[in-house]
Amino acid sequence: MEPKSEQASSTKKSGLRIEDLRPDAARLSAEEFKDCYGDAFLLLSSTGFKQPKSATSTEVLLLDLGEEVGERTAGVSVRVVPIRAAQDSLTHLITVGRATKNDVTISDISVSRFHAFFKRGPTGGFQLQDAGSSNGTIVNESSVCAKEAGPPMDVKSGDNIRFGQVDVTFLEANALRSYVAKFGD
């Protein structure tokens, strides 16, 4: 099943505006939506990041992309980034970091080049592990162990994750589909 939006094929790095998923959330079954977009997602509530002027601060730049006021949530556009490995990936890990070679790229100076990674746990759910980042990874106020320092942490829909100083929300496909279907009501 192909996504209705032509932008869906480019969601790996930049994501989609959440409102762009609404037509597919309404027309596709839960399984078709999952097949089309993926099993899990990160929701970012700002539309762009900028390298800070000094090494001690992070500057988040909200870009005006010409969206209507009704297409924004809490004054900023929400981006949806699928958690998927690249097609040419040689590993089962889904990497997160500032470098563009990662599966999920977060262009913020507080995020390490290779910051963290997702993988499937023994029960099929997602787990998150820090990759030895400079500024750490946190899930719901609990630090995530680095890969050599302890086990990965299970993540579930609705969990708040912080990579460095960047906050995101983790959602599985069914939760995202339900949220998107209600978005704007």
Side-chain angles (χ1 to χ4, degrees), residues 20 115 126 156 158:
D20 292 337
H115 195 96
F126 281 90
K156 62 187 180 326

Side-chain angles (χ1 to χ4, degrees), residues 79-102:
R79 303 297 288 186
V80 179
V81 179
I83 300 173
R84 281 186 162 173
Q87 289 180 347
D88 58 351
S89 180
L90 300 175
T91 178
H92 66 287
L93 304 177
I94 301 167
T95 61
V96 177
R98 192 175 71 239
T100 58
K101 66 183 177 185
N102 288 293

